[in-house]
Amino acid sequence: MWRLVPLVRGLSVATDSLTGVSARIADPEELKELLGIPFTPEQTACITAPPAPQVIVAGAGSGKTTVMAARVVWLVGTGQVAPDQVLGLTFTNKAAGELAERVRKALVKAGVVDPDPDPGAAEEAVGEPSISTYHAFAGQLLKEHGLRIGLEPSARLLADATRFQLAARVLRTAPGPYPALTRPFADLVTDLLALDAELAEHLVPAEQLRRHDTELLDTLDAVKLTNDALRKVPEAARARRELLGLVEEYRAEKSRRDLLDFGDQIALSATLARSGPEVGRILREQFAVVLLDEYQDTSVAQRLLLSGLFGGGTGHPVTAVGDPCQAIYGWRGASVANLDDFPAHFPHQDGSPARRHALSENRRSGGRLLDLANGLAAPLRAMHQGVEALRPAPGAERDGQVRCALLPTHAEELAWLADSIAHLVRTGTPPGEIAVLCRTAGDFAEIQGALVERDVPVEVVGLSGLLHLPEIADLVAVCEVLQDPGANAALVRLLTGPRWRIGPRDLALLGRRARALVSHGGHGDAEDDPDRRLAEAVEGVDPAEIISLADALDTFLDSGGGPDDGLPFSAEARVRFARLAAELRELRRSLADPLMDVLHRVLATTGLEVELSASPHALAARRRETLGNFLDVAASFAALAGGSVDGEATLQSFLGFLRTAAQYEKGLDNALPGGENTVKVLTAHKSKGLEWDVVAVPGLVAKQFPSEQSRESWTANAKVLPHALRGDASTLPEVTAWDAKGLNAFKDAMKEHQRTEELRLGYVTFTRPRSLLLGSGHWWGPSQKRRRGPSSFLEALRAHCEAGYGEVEAWADEPEEDAENPALRETTADRAWPLPLDPAALARRRRAADAVLAHLTRLEAADGPPAG
């Protein structure tokens, strides 16, 4: 607890008659002097604004956390509120802790409170500001007021691991049939939880969704569905209705067990806030001032919760801070419209809209870097009110530099990246001040290997990043094949990997055999195109006719090597198919064992752990650490899931958990860069709110960054809530007619929506560095037949450099029209798995193996093995 300091630097003391708080600060200049911060005029305006609703559009690096902390000091120091009348909300525990620490230090530095109160002092102690996450606030609200809506205080919060365990249990015990749900089990676990979360985020009752899809199906019955895209709409609607039934059973199971998840917390809190005015009155009396951080990332349900408590014409002093240009989480439920519409949702008592402020002076990056970011963000500024172009701090107008390169191949690009970073480290840049930001985690393994090869310490950040490293990807692939014989993509990864090394010809033949097994020979003619058959096998469709490469693999365990289908498998492939099939069959016997036992058995059987331990390479040491980190994640999952649902975590639920982490990082992967002095490798999405001296952005190639991959659409995906039912429907495209033209227009609008999201992500990425931005791309990818070339982002970097703000280090000419990818012409050397040993170590292992073999031969030649 803190107490008010009797006098601060001779300031006169006055006590506010309403708050009972002594005023310590009289004007903004005193605040600047006390905190030692030369606030800009726009920062001062936000800090000293009267206690009334306001929204601050804070650009990247403009000091929003500093402003929020200073506003608390101003309101407390001028006697307008007591410290414990301040509520601050943000998204993560780390952000909440940082804001709380900033507020505390600012109050202490200003002399408003004493960090070491004297127990014998006469002054009455005062409390601290309440600063927490949005979810923690919702949980506390339900604990104190949940009975008003019939929620028992005994309700417990589900951990993420338990959610997946419970959802998997519901799926395993569901009576069915579910003819429209054709996806693998792990995907259905993810889909169930995704639809449940979307319903909660938008406060949509299950029956409303069922009615919507029923009416849609009735409409489509009278429509001629002329193409595949149109035919997918009723398929998705039927699947969504079946999935909705599973969601209802999942919710019933939660209710029976007295459990809530994060989505339930927010949805029930929003219902509570809107159901009666008394809760809002209590909260407004308790908290005279409310600060909302990263408001552009709030969901519709969170907005309804907050406006129900503190908005709706009450005129309560709510300050929301955010940046619509950094709204990069729309794919996981955030609605940027909340920030745009704040003045209307939180009006003054007379109905007039809340005031909008702007923070636009960036004190992080030099002016040359800001010129680049401002150019990219120009379309975003035009879309949102109150957004201004970023300005550098005085004197920093010519600071910062961009260096870019376009290399012929993907391998050459990563070599350029690693060489550039290694040079920076050798010339004095601490590794911890360097980050590599990627659009996806696909290149993490190669980047990690290239940096380790150059003796640069490196750290891959986050669970989704670990899942793309080969040792983890192979382990997970084995688990997926064990759990689901239809996991064809995972099996193909194993078959074509460096351990089994099955070539495309034998793999295509395996696909033909898999197809023949399903159709009982009806579609397995030798004249069929093997590449097409393999593609169909890997794709997978109707569960009544699943094409399983694993089933085809099992045929090689027969003494005759499988059915007499005349397929000309190579002798080597037949042996390898049989060995892998036997290995998988043996491992499947342990699937009912505890999760950690299954994982360790897979590691022992595949030899991955031994191979990593035997390798002296520095990269192997990094991979051993990675494997240890992944097993820690699995152990944590097992501990959480096993404690509250079925007693043991299952492999099925763990795979569903990993699938969601890899795709969305939706609440599962809160890992942040550690404090070690290492180069951080992470996705661009995870970089928000962070900064480094140097940021490298590889993969700036066409269709990759900015990505042209379509956002999952409700017209083709059962887990996605139809736009018409969402609370932010007015900001999203809609289907105007159920014909080819109408659906194409919808798709085009969705693509434009996606381009805007990618532009926001690019803006976030390019505003992370303080002094140097490295951007790169390539013409030829590692395995693509078609050339890639520079993306619009890389072209923007090049133009920026050529305008005198940086350096184009390399720019490869476009390949000839008939050129081929050189990476496809290179023959892959026979590789040990998972990492090659150096020649000396390999020779020692072979000598040891020869010695063991010779010893066994001598024993066999003797009269028999010795006793014991």
Side-chain angles (χ1 to χ4, degrees):
M1 301 292 285
W2 305 332
R3 64 180 176 84
L4 295 178
V5 179
L7 284 175
V8 181
R9 300 188 185 182
L11 293 178
S12 60
V13 179
T15 300
D16 187 280
S17 60
L18 295 178
T19 66
V21 180
S22 299
R24 306 296 179 184
I25 301 172
D27 63 60
E29 292 304 316
E30 287 180 316
L31 181 68
K32 292 180 183 180
E33 181 185 350
L34 291 171
L35 297 183
I37 301 174
F39 296 115
T40 66
E42 60 186 10
Q43 287 177 323
T44 301
C46 296
I47 293 166
T48 63
Q54 64 171 341
V55 58
I56 301 173
V57 180
S62 61
K64 68 179 180 64
T65 306
T66 298
V67 167
M68 292 173 74
R71 178 153 176 77
V72 174
V73 174
W74 173 260
L75 294 172
V76 173
T78 54
Q80 299 180 73
V81 298
D84 58 2
Q85 291 180 301
V86 176
L87 171 66
L89 300 178
T90 189
F91 273 94
T92 66
N93 290 325
K94 178 180 181 296
E98 179 183 346
L99 180 58
E101 184 66 13
R102 289 275 194 99
V103 168
R104 182 183 184 278
K105 285 184 176 179
L107 288 171
V108 170
K109 193 171 185 180
V112 175
V113 295
D114 188 347
D116 300 307
D118 181 359
E123 289 81 12
E124 181 182 356
V126 296
E128 301 181 21
S130 296
I131 297 175
S132 71
T133 66
Y134 289 102
H135 281 297
F137 172 72
Q140 188 63 32
L141 188 66
L142 291 178
K143 186 180 295 184
E144 295 177 358
H145 301 281
L147 281 173
R148 297 174 186 268
I149 55 173
L151 181 67
E152 295 295 332
S154 58
R156 294 170 296 139
L157 183 64
L158 271 166
D160 277 316
T162 318
R163 289 174 59 233
F164 281 85
Q165 184 77 350
L166 186 60
R169 183 183 187 280
V170 168
L171 277 172
R172 285 198 308 272
T173 58
Y178 299 102
L181 297 180
T182 62
R183 282 157 60 78
F185 186 93
D187 287 335
L188 287 178
V189 172
T190 299
D191 292 354
L192 188 162
L193 293 173
L195 184 58
D196 174 62
E198 287 219 333
L199 289 167
E201 286 165 356
H202 296 275
L203 302 184
V204 177
E207 191 52 43
Q208 185 180 357
L209 174 58
R210 181 175 287 108
R211 186 167 57 251
H212 173 279
D213 280 334
T214 300
E215 292 173 356
L216 175 61
L217 288 169
D218 290 342
T219 299
L220 295 175
D221 280 342
V223 173
K224 187 175 181 180
L225 306 177
T226 57
N227 58 38
D228 287 342
L230 280 169
R231 286 188 284 272
K232 282 184 179 179
V233 180
E235 292 174 5
R238 283 190 287 268
R240 191 159 41 241
R241 288 199 305 184
E242 293 180 4
L243 191 63
L244 180 62
L246 292 168
V247 168
E248 290 175 311
E249 179 53 38
Y250 169 67
R251 290 180 167 186
E253 193 68 21
K254 284 191 292 185
S255 179
R256 282 192 288 270
R257 297 168 182 264
D258 212 15
L259 297 170
L260 300 174
D261 60 24
F262 286 129
D264 298 327
Q265 271 192 337
I266 296 297
L268 290 171
S269 298
T271 300
L272 177 64
R274 301 166 73 200
S275 62
E278 61 277 3
V279 176
R281 280 199 298 267
I282 293 170
L283 267 293
R284 291 192 296 275
E285 289 175 3
Q286 181 179 357
F287 299 112
V289 171
V290 179
L291 304 173
L292 305 177
D293 191 22
E294 301 287 5
Y295 193 67
Q296 79 283 344
D297 292 334
T298 53
S299 69
V300 169
Q302 286 169 327
R303 184 260 295 173
L304 293 172
L305 161 65
L306 297 166
S307 62
L309 295 175
F310 305 113
T314 62
H316 200 68
V318 178
T319 296
V321 184
D323 182 4
C325 295
Q326 297 188 73
I328 60 173
Y329 297 129
W331 46 271
R332 71 179 193 188
S335 176
V336 69
N338 289 348
L339 188 69
D340 291 334
D341 297 337
F342 180 91
H345 294 153
F346 293 82
H348 293 271
Q349 283 185 315
D350 62 4
S352 59
R355 185 176 178 184
R356 199 187 308 267
H357 297 267
L359 295 177
S360 54
E361 183 175 302
N362 178 297
R363 295 188 173 181
R364 171 193 301 155
S365 308
R368 293 183 170 187
L369 294 172
L370 296 182
D371 285 342
L372 171 68
N374 285 333
L376 286 172
L380 299 176
R381 293 197 299 275
M383 293 173 60
H384 303 283
Q385 292 187 37
V387 183
E388 299 179 4
L390 297 174
R391 304 188 313 276
E397 290 82 1
R398 299 190 60 79
D399 290 349
Q401 187 180 18
V402 175
R403 285 160 45 195
C404 67
L406 177 66
L407 286 304
T409 67
H410 175 260
E412 290 172 282
E413 179 197 356
L414 295 189
W416 176 86
L417 173 79
D419 287 340
S420 299
I421 291 175
H423 175 74
L424 289 168
V425 172
R426 286 195 301 270
T427 54
T429 303
E433 284 297 336
I434 304 173
V436 181
L437 306 183
C438 302
R439 178 60 182 81
T440 67
D443 287 339
F444 280 11
E446 289 83 356
I447 293 169
Q448 180 195 49
L451 291 174
V452 169
E453 184 180 348
R454 291 159 175 80
D455 295 323
V456 176
V458 57
E459 171 190 352
V460 173
V461 178
L463 174 57
S464 64
L466 297 183
L467 292 174
H468 284 79
L469 299 182
E471 62 277 17
I472 306 303
D474 284 345
L475 171 60
V476 172
V478 173
C479 291
E480 288 180 342
V481 174
L482 292 176
Q483 188 62 61
D484 178 12
N488 293 320
L491 183 54
V492 168
R493 176 186 174 85
L494 298 177
L495 290 170
T496 59
R499 186 178 180 214
W500 298 106
R501 301 189 299 282
I502 298 297
R505 176 179 173 276
D506 285 308
L507 190 61
L509 292 173
L510 185 69
R512 291 178 64 184
R513 177 170 287 187
R515 182 70 179 180
L517 288 175
V518 169
S519 58
H520 305 289
H523 300 286
D525 294 341
E527 294 84 17
D528 287 347
D529 178 7
D531 292 332
R532 182 171 63 85
R533 289 297 182 206
L534 174 62
E536 292 174 352
V538 173
E539 190 174 289
V541 282
D542 188 343
E545 196 172 283
I546 287 179
I547 302 164
S548 169
L549 294 181
D551 288 347
L553 199 68
D554 281 342
T555 64
F556 289 90
L557 290 173
D558 299 338
S559 57
D564 185 15
D565 49 16
L567 296 177
F569 293 98
S570 67
E572 294 87 351
R574 289 179 181 273
V575 172
R576 292 174 188 176
F577 285 152
R579 286 176 56 198
L580 177 56
E583 190 174 281
L584 294 174
R585 177 174 291 185
E586 181 64 27
L587 285 170
R588 283 196 182 100
R589 294 174 181 171
S590 65
L591 278 182
D593 292 349
L595 173 63
M596 296 308 297
D597 290 351
V598 175
L599 294 178
H600 283 296
R601 191 165 287 113
V602 170
L603 289 173
T605 302
T606 59
L608 173 59
E609 218 164 10
V610 173
E611 289 292 339
L612 286 175
S613 298
S615 175
H617 282 69
L619 183 56
R622 294 271 76 80
R623 297 281 166 83
R624 288 195 294 272
E625 292 177 7
T626 297
L627 189 57
N629 292 339
F630 178 78
L631 292 176
D632 287 344
V633 171
S636 176
F637 178 93
L640 290 171
S644 56
V645 179
D646 291 324
E648 288 290 354
T650 66
L651 184 61
Q652 282 181 331
S653 58
F654 184 57
L655 290 174
F657 173 83
L658 295 180
R659 191 74 55 88
T660 301
Q663 293 176 351
Y664 302 116
E665 302 181 68
K666 187 172 184 177
L668 303 180
D669 187 6
N670 293 321
L672 291 170
E676 298 83 4
N677 189 25
T678 56
V679 173
K680 306 301 188 290
V681 182
L682 62 160
T683 61
H685 277 101
K686 289 190 71 66
S687 71
K688 187 167 175 290
L690 304 175
E691 61 183 69
W692 297 267
D693 277 346
V694 179
V695 168
V697 188
L700 295 174
V701 296
K703 299 184 179 182
Q704 184 169 313
F705 196 12
S707 171
E708 292 185 8
Q709 183 176 355
S710 300
R711 183 176 177 178
E712 291 177 320
S713 169
W714 70 271
T715 59
N717 291 276
K719 66 180 179 180
V720 182
L721 192 66
H723 288 179
L725 302 182
R726 292 172 55 108
D728 55 356
S730 62
T731 68
L732 297 170
E734 61 181 15
V735 181
T736 56
W738 291 112
D739 53 28
K741 183 179 179 181
L743 200 57
N744 285 336
F746 171 74
K747 286 185 173 181
D748 290 342
M750 287 295 291
K751 288 180 180 178
E752 186 60 35
H753 186 81
Q754 170 72 8
R755 279 192 285 271
T756 301
E757 300 251 313
E758 287 294 300
L759 189 56
R760 291 191 179 107
L761 183 59
Y763 175 79
V764 167
T765 304
F766 298 135
T767 52
R768 298 308 96 194
R770 289 189 285 264
S771 59
L772 174 62
L773 172 66
L774 302 173
S776 60
H778 55 266
W779 282 108
W780 296 111
S783 59
Q784 289 75 26
K785 290 185 178 180
R786 294 184 178 181
R787 73 194 71 189
R788 287 175 165 174
S791 72
S792 58
F793 286 166
L794 187 55
E795 292 284 12
L797 264 64
R798 181 190 188 187
H800 186 74
C801 292
E802 291 178 341
Y805 299 118
E807 180 182 356
V808 180
E809 291 204 353
W811 201 267
D813 293 333
E814 182 175 358
E816 297 292 335
E817 189 66 30
D818 58 349
E820 295 182 1
N821 187 347
L824 301 181
R825 296 197 302 267
E826 297 173 0
T827 57
T828 303
D830 194 30
R831 294 168 293 170
W833 184 81
L835 285 169
L837 296 168
D838 66 303
L842 185 58
R844 286 195 300 271
R845 292 182 70 185
R846 285 178 173 167
R847 286 196 299 271
D850 291 342
V852 171
L853 182 60
H855 179 65
L856 292 175
T857 301
R858 287 194 298 272
L859 288 177
E860 289 178 0
D863 291 337

